[in-house]
Amino acid sequence: MNSVGVTRQIGQEGAIDSGGASGASTGARTDDGPLAWGPWSAKLADRELFGIEFDGSRVLDGVRLAVRDPDWYTLRGVVETEDQVWTDDGLSVTVVERLTSDDADLTAEIRFAIENQGASVGLRLRALRDSAVNRAGLVALLPGTLAGSDLTVDTVDGYSHPLRLPVQVSPYQPCLGIKGLRWTRDGVDVEVDFAGDTFEMEDQRNWCDFSFKVYNRPLGLPFPYMLRKDAVISQSVVARARHAPQSEGRRISAASPRSWRSVDGGRGGLPTFDLGASTRFLDSPPSADLGCEVPDALVLEVTDRDPLGRIAEQARRETRGAGIPLDLRVRAGSEAGLESVLDFFGQTDLRIARLAAFDASTLVTESDVWRSLVRLNRSFGAELVAGTCGHFAEFNRNVHRFPSDADGYCFSLSPQMHVQEQRHIREVVDAIPGVIASARELVEGRPLLIGPITLRPRLNAVATREGGPGPSDLAGFGPEYVSESTDARQGTPFAGAWTAACLAQLIGSEVAEVCLYESSGPRGIREPDGHLSACGEAIEWFLGHRRGTIHELGAFLPTGAYGVVAARDGTGEILLTNPGCDEIDVPEIVVGGFRFPGIVVPACRVRIVKGEGAMG
């Protein structure tokens, strides 16, 4: 068997120090470029084989190593070597990386391959010292578009049984004890085999990831658990595919048409737009205004351990001297703690228009918390909201415990519960409509409040250890002391494009309220000089058109592009956004009585175009 190999030494994550052997094959891939062999294709970046397709039909969204520490944070490795080998049978890339933290020291050898027999990822993970982890092994992502599809599950017990992947987001694992999965789609028979441990599946849409994740080890086993020094984990995921016998070559089924939604903002069809309060104390915090627009409310999240005096002082400036209503959400460890917070704010001049409360341990509105909130609200007369300050997962799993008489129900949204790569953040946009539909079903159409929407989680809903500052720490509160709560991309054009895409998905969704980011600070919508960032400009645009008629354009746009047409006073504007990594050519659009010329929307950018004509 003939083969050609190339080795590269890598000294830090993603940085190449020196080249290796010469004589690379003409099939050599470029960094982050495609791998292809016969009918198989995929991409390899950030130690993940993703976009795995057979003859153009998506098989898996990705396969990667996932190591999670005792608080479920992801360990990120440093690549030491990368070897590429081409043979008569296919192409493989073997990466060796080191993963270290205060809790663990591991070395991983991962082999990614596209070969005649299929696509595969193999792992050999070794503990260099006793290492505490919650998870350490391969995970595979099934496309979220498989929702509603019929699969066959081969179990570790030697049985097979049918499985229909849920359309509504499943609160718990759809399937346990997985050894293999089989399904047919687009005229292609797919088989994916898992080896080295017992795998199970969870519905990642609970965290707004647009996939079904197959992972190990089973969550029914205790965690954290200890990998003793020199312990070795060996696993593999192998995907095979062929054209189904009844098909004639490749057949791609027509994609479900993207929606067309039109709402009249002046008649209450749009959500109200709120901003989160800044959680870093600033010397001169600006008001929450966005240019000529003002948010409908400022959402302030506090606990009974926070420095309330300093928080209220800053909130008063952000609300323009209490001119902007306050949506106060309290996480308390006891009834006395909740009462102390509300007593404090009751003595301020802040206009508290909405109240919510959550148990500090479960992060949801427990029945005793609700009873206390109802009683304490007599002095406020505010709207009362129930739900969770955590992810949709907490909402989905606990909705039966929520009161039935709340004025609204809430959960937050962040695209980086599991991974941080930009491509994964973009994919969250496509999960939003299904998550909202599931939430509306759960609350039987009652008002739904989404947010805060933030790039990084504001709290760790799954931590196994307590952390954070004491109440005397006055640098900030809440997310200011949550590990990895601040994203360096917060002020970038990508964040603006992603924000605009998320808001476009909310048009016509009947969501009552959406809260975004913070009004200022490192997790806010302003640049250090006070000007609006790309995120802020996107929010400002939607705020400025909330009283007109807005059409969501999903049905008219190429895949990967999102947009809306807004009409007011006889004029029309189109907002087009592209949070992806490639430019998108959007053809001419005629909608709502307006004509919009074709335009190229660059990667990670928003474009706004004036329309020709008048609303018909």
Side-chain angles (χ1 to χ4, degrees):
M1 180 173 64
N2 298 322
S3 66
V4 177
V6 174
T7 299
R8 298 187 297 168
Q9 300 294 326
I10 300 180
Q12 59 183 1
E13 186 170 359
I16 301 174
D17 282 343
S18 59
S22 60
S25 158
T26 55
R29 71 182 184 92
T30 59
D31 288 345
D32 298 357
L35 302 174
W37 195 267
W40 287 94
S41 63
K43 291 184 178 181
L44 179 60
D46 306 306
R47 278 83 71 204
E48 178 182 17
L49 192 67
F50 65 97
I52 302 170
E53 296 185 347
F54 175 82
D55 210 3
S57 177
R58 179 61 58 92
V59 174
L60 293 172
D61 276 352
V63 182
R64 71 187 303 161
L65 167 65
V67 179
R68 311 296 291 274
D69 76 6
D71 289 320
W72 290 101
Y73 288 111
T74 299
L75 271 67
R76 294 173 183 84
V78 174
V79 176
E80 297 180 336
T81 64
E82 179 182 305
D83 296 310
Q84 303 178 19
V85 176
W86 297 266
T87 71
D88 295 338
D89 296 322
L91 164 66
S92 68
V93 179
T94 300
V95 174
V96 175
E97 66 173 339
R98 182 83 171 267
L99 303 100
T100 59
S101 71
D102 291 342
D103 302 292
D105 189 358
L106 308 165
T107 182
E109 180 179 296
I110 315 167
R111 181 181 184 269
F112 305 94
I114 298 288
E115 298 169 308
N116 292 331
Q117 65 267 32
S120 65
V121 179
L123 166 70
R124 187 179 187 275
L125 182 72
R126 184 167 67 91
L128 300 179
R129 62 175 172 86
D130 288 355
S131 300
V133 295
N134 283 353
R135 177 172 296 158
L138 295 177
V139 300
L141 302 180
L142 277 62
T145 52
L146 282 175
S149 299
D150 293 319
L151 281 66
T152 299
V153 181
D154 299 323
T155 71
V156 294
D157 299 325
Y159 296 97
S160 297
H161 65 81
L163 169 69
R164 176 164 291 177
L165 290 179
V167 174
Q168 186 166 339
V169 182
S170 175
Y172 297 104
Q173 294 96 325
C175 187
L176 306 174
I178 299 171
K179 183 179 180 182
L181 296 171
R182 292 176 278 141
W183 67 90
T184 299
R185 193 182 189 204
D186 299 338
V188 172
D189 290 337
V190 176
E191 298 179 2
V192 184
D193 295 323
F194 304 88
D197 204 333
T198 298
F199 288 74
E200 54 192 34
M201 179 191 295
E202 67 184 5
D203 192 334
Q204 293 281 92
R205 296 174 297 171
N206 279 294
W207 299 274
C208 279
D209 297 338
F210 197 41
S211 61
F212 296 91
K213 182 170 74 178
V214 182
Y215 63 91
N216 69 95
R217 80 185 197 159
L219 284 175
L221 297 176
F223 61 84
Y225 61 96
M226 190 67 68
L227 292 176
R228 297 298 179 186
K229 181 181 178 182
D230 294 327
V232 174
I233 293 175
S234 296
Q235 297 176 0
S236 66
V237 176
V238 180
R240 302 179 181 87
R242 62 180 181 178
H243 291 293
Q246 69 273 20
S247 69
E248 298 178 359
R250 176 164 65 103
R251 290 195 319 186
I252 303 297
S253 61
S256 299
R258 293 175 67 186
S259 60
W260 157 257
R261 301 188 296 272
S262 176
V263 298
D264 189 337
R267 297 175 187 166
L270 287 176
T272 59
F273 292 92
D274 301 344
L275 289 178
S278 175
T279 57
R280 174 173 292 182
F281 293 139
L282 305 171
D283 292 335
S284 299
S287 73
D289 297 4
L290 294 93
C292 298
E293 301 298 330
V294 179
D296 294 287
L298 186 77
V299 175
L300 176 61
E301 299 178 295
V302 299
T303 74
D304 53 354
R305 299 176 56 196
D306 287 331
L308 300 180
R310 184 75 181 273
I311 291 172
E313 177 186 349
Q314 179 157 293
R316 194 175 191 283
R317 296 187 182 185
E318 290 181 286
T319 58
R320 298 197 307 177
I324 299 174
L326 195 68
D327 178 334
L328 180 62
R329 305 184 185 184
V330 184
R331 195 165 77 247
S334 65
E335 181 179 355
L338 175 60
E339 186 167 359
S340 68
V341 172
L342 295 186
D343 281 348
F344 174 85
F345 280 97
Q347 297 174 37
T348 70
D349 63 351
L350 293 166
R351 293 173 51 204
I352 298 178
R354 188 182 297 135
L355 283 173
F358 316 103
D359 182 274
S361 298
T362 64
L363 307 183
V364 303
T365 306
E366 303 286 1
S367 57
D368 59 335
V369 171
W370 180 252
R371 286 192 298 269
S372 298
L373 187 64
V374 170
R375 175 178 60 82
L376 295 167
N377 186 45
R378 292 169 187 163
S379 59
F380 293 96
E383 292 182 3
L384 296 184
V385 173
T388 178
C389 53
H391 303 276
F392 180 66
E394 285 76 37
F395 189 96
N396 201 11
R397 293 169 180 173
N398 295 283
V399 68
H400 61 283
R401 296 155 64 182
F402 299 161
S404 60
D405 56 342
D407 295 311
Y409 298 84
C410 64
F411 63 88
S412 67
L413 189 157
S414 168
Q416 298 184 68
M417 173 64 183
H418 297 106
V419 289
Q420 297 182 358
E421 290 81 13
Q422 202 154 294
R423 63 181 179 275
H424 289 297
I425 298 173
R426 194 219 67 77
E427 291 165 356
V428 165
V429 176
D430 295 325
I432 289 175
V435 170
I436 292 174
S438 293
R440 286 187 53 77
E441 181 76 17
L442 291 171
V443 298
E444 299 176 339
R446 286 170 288 183
L448 195 62
L449 291 74
I450 307 299
I453 295 176
T454 54
L455 280 182
R456 297 284 298 146
R458 306 158 359 272
L459 56 84
N460 188 337
V462 291
T464 61
R465 300 174 293 194
E466 290 191 9
S472 62
D473 196 317
L474 296 181
F477 62 103
E480 181 70 13
Y481 297 101
V482 174
S483 178
E484 302 182 2
S485 66
T486 303
D487 194 310
R489 294 166 291 198
Q490 180 71 36
T492 64
F494 164 72
W498 183 82
T499 300
C502 290
L503 292 176
Q505 294 286 56
L506 295 178
I507 300 302
S509 66
E510 300 185 42
V511 167
E513 179 264 355
V514 58
C515 172
L516 297 116
Y517 305 113
E518 299 181 7
S519 68
S520 55
R523 293 165 293 279
I525 60 166
R526 288 181 172 78
E527 302 287 358
D529 63 5
H531 290 90
L532 292 179
S533 66
C535 286
E537 291 175 348
I539 299 168
E540 180 188 31
W541 189 91
F542 279 88
L543 274 170
H545 292 86
R546 58 187 158 176
R547 295 178 183 86
T549 299
I550 291 187
H551 303 281
E552 193 275 334
L553 289 175
F556 295 86
L557 298 177
T559 300
Y562 306 85
V564 297
V565 169
R568 185 179 180 184
D569 300 329
T571 62
E573 273 188 352
I574 188 170
L575 177 147
L576 298 169
T577 181
N578 172 16
C581 58
D582 299 307
E583 69 177 27
I584 297 176
D585 190 356
V586 177
E588 176 184 272
I589 295 173
V590 178
V591 61
F594 294 97
R595 174 187 171 274
F596 299 92
I599 186 174
V600 173
V601 184
C604 304
R605 291 295 189 277
V606 174
R607 289 290 181 264
I608 297 172
V609 182
K610 297 286 187 180
E612 302 172 2
M615 177 65 72

